[in-house]
Every structure is written in C-alpha cells, then in structure tokens.
Amino acid sequence: MKKIIVMIAIIVIALTLCSCVKTDNNIDNYSDDIKAYEASSFMPGLDNIGKYNDVEYFSRKDESIFPEYSMQLIVKYNEEEFLKEKEILNTAYTYLESPQKADFDDTVFTIPIEEFSAYGYDFKITKFEDTVYPKNFGMIGISDEKFEIVYLWIYAPDLDYICETNANEIKEINEFLEYHFSLE
C-alpha cells in the first residue's frame, strides 16, 4: 500500500512539474487577467490609456508547482498623444529610487536596479503599498523613438529574489525580462 501511495505521489509531482507554460495575446482576456493576477493597481484599463493607434497584449502563464504569471501591454501612439501620455506617467505612479535588497538576506536583490534600458525602452520600476518585490510588481517602459509605452507586470508568489548582490544587475534584469516577457 505504501508503494502505491509513493508512486501516485511521484506521478502527481512529475505531472505538476511538467505542466506547460501557456502564452496568450488575445486582448479580450486582458481585463480578466488583470483581476486574476492581482494587477489592478498597476495595469491600466484600455479606456485609460488615451487615444492610441494600436495595442498589443501578451501574457505568460506558468502553472507549475511554483506558478509565475506575467502580463505585457504595449501601447502605440502618434507623437502628440505619446507626449501627453508620457507626461501623465510622471505623476501617475510612484517609482523606486533605489535597488531593493531582500529582508531575509542582504546578499540578494529583490529588485537589483530601479531604472534601466532594454529592448529600445527606458524602464522604471513602480512602487505600491502592497508591492512585495519580486513577487508582484510593475515596470513601465517608454520608447521615444517608437512612440510606445509598455506596461509589464509580474505575479510570482514563490519568487524570492532576482539576483545576488555581486551579480551584473543589467545582465540579470535583462535575463529576467527575456524569460517573462516578449519584447523583441
């Protein structure tokens, strides 16, 4: 009997660990995903992003034993609307002013850098009262060249840190973006 229980447990764990990562780019799922992945304080409603020319949505849902969810909204504007929306972002969010170290271990960063550039965007990390870095947080990227604003949200309840303090912060945050989002 013990062997059967052990075998069942092994099979369940193996199936859980092998579960697929699902991606979605259907904008019709955007509102539901905001609610499901606790992003309502950060991700804007489509009616709150001004007069845009186009919008692209992408989400990544890892339903494994350690689930991770990410959402990405790229909003494309004409130059005039872009400048208006960019100005609004200066006061719409509070942004981090310094890297964040883990409370449980000062040799790791939960957020290694508060501003950086990647994939043609200049990113800033946002700050909310209920933010627990890196378990749930948002980033805003602005591309002056493409007149685009990108909103990135991560919800990873089991993620404890992004990198160690002696690591290359830029390299680590770029790898983090590459893993969770589709910005290319």
Side-chain angles (χ1 to χ4, degrees), residues 150-172:
V150 62
Y151 299 86
L152 304 177
W153 177 256
I154 187 81
Y155 179 67
D158 295 308
L159 184 62
D160 292 327
Y161 64 93
I162 291 179
C163 71
E164 295 180 1
T165 55
N166 61 355
N168 179 329
E169 296 92 357
I170 299 294
K171 179 180 177 276
E172 295 290 334

Short mmCIF file of all heavy atoms in Angstrom, two decimals, residues 150-172:
data_model
loop_
_atom_site.label_atom_id
_atom_site.label_comp_id
_atom_site.label_asym_id
_atom_site.label_seq_id
_atom_site.Cartn_x
_atom_site.Cartn_y
_atom_site.Cartn_z
N VAL A 150 5.18 50.68 -22.69
CA VAL A 150 4.93 49.27 -22.35
C VAL A 150 4.75 49.16 -20.84
O VAL A 150 5.49 49.76 -20.06
CB VAL A 150 6.05 48.34 -22.86
CG1 VAL A 150 7.39 48.67 -22.23
CG2 VAL A 150 5.71 46.88 -22.62
N TYR A 151 3.73 48.41 -20.46
CA TYR A 151 3.44 48.11 -19.07
C TYR A 151 3.74 46.63 -18.86
O TYR A 151 3.19 45.78 -19.57
CB TYR A 151 1.96 48.37 -18.76
CG TYR A 151 1.53 49.81 -18.97
CD1 TYR A 151 1.13 50.24 -20.23
CD2 TYR A 151 1.52 50.71 -17.92
CE1 TYR A 151 0.73 51.56 -20.43
CE2 TYR A 151 1.12 52.02 -18.11
CZ TYR A 151 0.72 52.43 -19.38
OH TYR A 151 0.33 53.74 -19.57
N LEU A 152 4.59 46.32 -17.89
CA LEU A 152 4.96 44.94 -17.59
C LEU A 152 4.60 44.62 -16.14
O LEU A 152 4.94 45.37 -15.23
CB LEU A 152 6.46 44.72 -17.79
CG LEU A 152 7.05 45.06 -19.15
CD1 LEU A 152 8.55 44.84 -19.13
CD2 LEU A 152 6.40 44.24 -20.24
N TRP A 153 3.92 43.50 -15.95
CA TRP A 153 3.51 43.08 -14.60
C TRP A 153 3.97 41.65 -14.37
O TRP A 153 3.84 40.79 -15.22
CB TRP A 153 2.00 43.14 -14.47
CG TRP A 153 1.49 42.65 -13.15
CD1 TRP A 153 0.89 41.45 -12.91
CD2 TRP A 153 1.55 43.31 -11.90
NE1 TRP A 153 0.56 41.34 -11.58
CE2 TRP A 153 0.96 42.48 -10.93
CE3 TRP A 153 2.06 44.55 -11.49
CZ2 TRP A 153 0.85 42.83 -9.60
CZ3 TRP A 153 1.95 44.89 -10.16
CH2 TRP A 153 1.36 44.05 -9.23
N ILE A 154 4.49 41.42 -13.19
CA ILE A 154 4.89 40.07 -12.80
C ILE A 154 4.14 39.70 -11.52
O ILE A 154 4.01 40.53 -10.62
CB ILE A 154 6.43 39.95 -12.60
CG1 ILE A 154 6.85 38.52 -12.37
CG2 ILE A 154 6.92 40.82 -11.49
CD1 ILE A 154 6.97 37.72 -13.62
N TYR A 155 3.63 38.49 -11.50
CA TYR A 155 3.00 37.95 -10.31
C TYR A 155 3.56 36.55 -10.13
O TYR A 155 3.20 35.61 -10.83
CB TYR A 155 1.48 37.92 -10.47
CG TYR A 155 0.76 37.35 -9.27
CD1 TYR A 155 0.76 38.02 -8.05
CD2 TYR A 155 0.10 36.13 -9.36
CE1 TYR A 155 0.11 37.49 -6.96
CE2 TYR A 155 -0.56 35.59 -8.26
CZ TYR A 155 -0.55 36.28 -7.06
OH TYR A 155 -1.19 35.75 -5.97
N ALA A 156 4.51 36.43 -9.20
CA ALA A 156 5.22 35.17 -8.97
C ALA A 156 5.33 34.95 -7.46
O ALA A 156 6.34 35.30 -6.85
CB ALA A 156 6.59 35.22 -9.63
N PRO A 157 4.30 34.40 -6.85
CA PRO A 157 4.25 34.30 -5.40
C PRO A 157 5.42 33.53 -4.75
O PRO A 157 5.70 33.73 -3.58
CB PRO A 157 2.93 33.57 -5.11
CG PRO A 157 2.23 33.43 -6.40
CD PRO A 157 3.13 33.84 -7.50
N ASP A 158 6.08 32.68 -5.52
CA ASP A 158 7.18 31.90 -4.95
C ASP A 158 8.57 32.42 -5.31
O ASP A 158 9.57 31.84 -4.92
CB ASP A 158 7.06 30.43 -5.38
CG ASP A 158 5.81 29.80 -4.81
OD1 ASP A 158 5.62 29.89 -3.58
OD2 ASP A 158 5.01 29.23 -5.58
N LEU A 159 8.64 33.52 -6.05
CA LEU A 159 9.92 34.10 -6.44
C LEU A 159 10.47 34.91 -5.28
O LEU A 159 9.81 35.81 -4.76
CB LEU A 159 9.75 34.98 -7.69
CG LEU A 159 10.99 35.59 -8.29
CD1 LEU A 159 11.97 34.51 -8.76
CD2 LEU A 159 10.60 36.50 -9.46
N ASP A 160 11.68 34.60 -4.84
CA ASP A 160 12.26 35.27 -3.67
C ASP A 160 13.21 36.41 -4.01
O ASP A 160 13.31 37.37 -3.26
CB ASP A 160 12.98 34.26 -2.78
CG ASP A 160 12.02 33.29 -2.13
OD1 ASP A 160 10.88 33.70 -1.83
OD2 ASP A 160 12.38 32.12 -1.95
N TYR A 161 13.96 36.28 -5.10
CA TYR A 161 14.88 37.35 -5.49
C TYR A 161 15.21 37.22 -6.97
O TYR A 161 14.99 36.20 -7.59
CB TYR A 161 16.15 37.32 -4.64
CG TYR A 161 17.01 36.08 -4.79
CD1 TYR A 161 18.06 36.06 -5.70
CD2 TYR A 161 16.79 34.94 -4.01
CE1 TYR A 161 18.85 34.93 -5.85
CE2 TYR A 161 17.57 33.83 -4.14
CZ TYR A 161 18.60 33.82 -5.07
OH TYR A 161 19.40 32.70 -5.22
N ILE A 162 15.78 38.32 -7.51
CA ILE A 162 16.14 38.33 -8.93
C ILE A 162 17.61 38.00 -9.12
O ILE A 162 17.97 37.27 -10.02
CB ILE A 162 15.77 39.68 -9.58
CG1 ILE A 162 14.25 39.79 -9.64
CG2 ILE A 162 16.38 39.80 -10.98
CD1 ILE A 162 13.72 41.07 -10.23
N CYS A 163 18.47 38.53 -8.24
CA CYS A 163 19.89 38.21 -8.39
C CYS A 163 20.64 38.45 -7.09
O CYS A 163 20.14 39.11 -6.19
CB CYS A 163 20.51 39.00 -9.53
SG CYS A 163 20.71 40.77 -9.24
N GLU A 164 21.85 37.93 -7.05
CA GLU A 164 22.73 38.16 -5.91
C GLU A 164 23.36 39.54 -6.03
O GLU A 164 23.46 40.10 -7.12
CB GLU A 164 23.80 37.07 -5.85
CG GLU A 164 23.20 35.70 -5.59
CD GLU A 164 24.23 34.59 -5.52
OE1 GLU A 164 25.45 34.86 -5.65
OE2 GLU A 164 23.81 33.43 -5.33
N THR A 165 23.80 40.09 -4.92
CA THR A 165 24.33 41.46 -4.92
C THR A 165 25.64 41.59 -5.68
O THR A 165 25.96 42.67 -6.15
CB THR A 165 24.54 41.97 -3.47
OG1 THR A 165 25.36 41.04 -2.76
CG2 THR A 165 23.20 42.15 -2.77
N ASN A 166 26.37 40.52 -5.85
CA ASN A 166 27.64 40.60 -6.58
C ASN A 166 27.48 40.29 -8.07
O ASN A 166 28.46 40.21 -8.81
CB ASN A 166 28.69 39.68 -5.95
CG ASN A 166 28.28 38.22 -5.98
OD1 ASN A 166 27.17 37.88 -6.41
ND2 ASN A 166 29.16 37.36 -5.52
N ALA A 167 26.24 40.12 -8.54
CA ALA A 167 25.98 39.81 -9.96
C ALA A 167 25.91 41.09 -10.78
O ALA A 167 25.77 42.20 -10.24
CB ALA A 167 24.68 39.04 -10.08
N ASN A 168 25.97 40.95 -12.08
CA ASN A 168 25.80 42.06 -13.00
C ASN A 168 24.30 42.37 -13.09
O ASN A 168 23.54 41.62 -13.70
CB ASN A 168 26.37 41.69 -14.38
CG ASN A 168 26.23 42.78 -15.40
OD1 ASN A 168 25.28 43.57 -15.37
ND2 ASN A 168 27.16 42.83 -16.32
N GLU A 169 23.88 43.47 -12.48
CA GLU A 169 22.46 43.79 -12.37
C GLU A 169 21.79 43.94 -13.74
O GLU A 169 20.67 43.46 -13.94
CB GLU A 169 22.24 45.09 -11.57
CG GLU A 169 22.67 45.02 -10.14
CD GLU A 169 24.11 45.46 -9.93
OE1 GLU A 169 24.81 45.78 -10.92
OE2 GLU A 169 24.53 45.48 -8.77
N ILE A 170 22.45 44.59 -14.67
CA ILE A 170 21.88 44.81 -16.01
C ILE A 170 21.67 43.46 -16.71
O ILE A 170 20.61 43.21 -17.29
CB ILE A 170 22.78 45.72 -16.86
CG1 ILE A 170 22.92 47.11 -16.21
CG2 ILE A 170 22.26 45.84 -18.28
CD1 ILE A 170 21.65 47.90 -16.15
N LYS A 171 22.66 42.61 -16.65
CA LYS A 171 22.54 41.29 -17.28
C LYS A 171 21.40 40.50 -16.64
O LYS A 171 20.60 39.88 -17.34
CB LYS A 171 23.87 40.53 -17.13
CG LYS A 171 23.87 39.13 -17.71
CD LYS A 171 25.24 38.48 -17.52
CE LYS A 171 25.28 37.08 -18.01
NZ LYS A 171 24.79 36.09 -17.06
N GLU A 172 21.31 40.51 -15.33
CA GLU A 172 20.29 39.75 -14.62
C GLU A 172 18.88 40.27 -14.91
O GLU A 172 17.96 39.49 -15.11
CB GLU A 172 20.55 39.77 -13.11
CG GLU A 172 21.82 39.07 -12.69
CD GLU A 172 21.78 37.56 -12.86
OE1 GLU A 172 20.68 36.97 -12.82
OE2 GLU A 172 22.85 36.96 -13.03
#
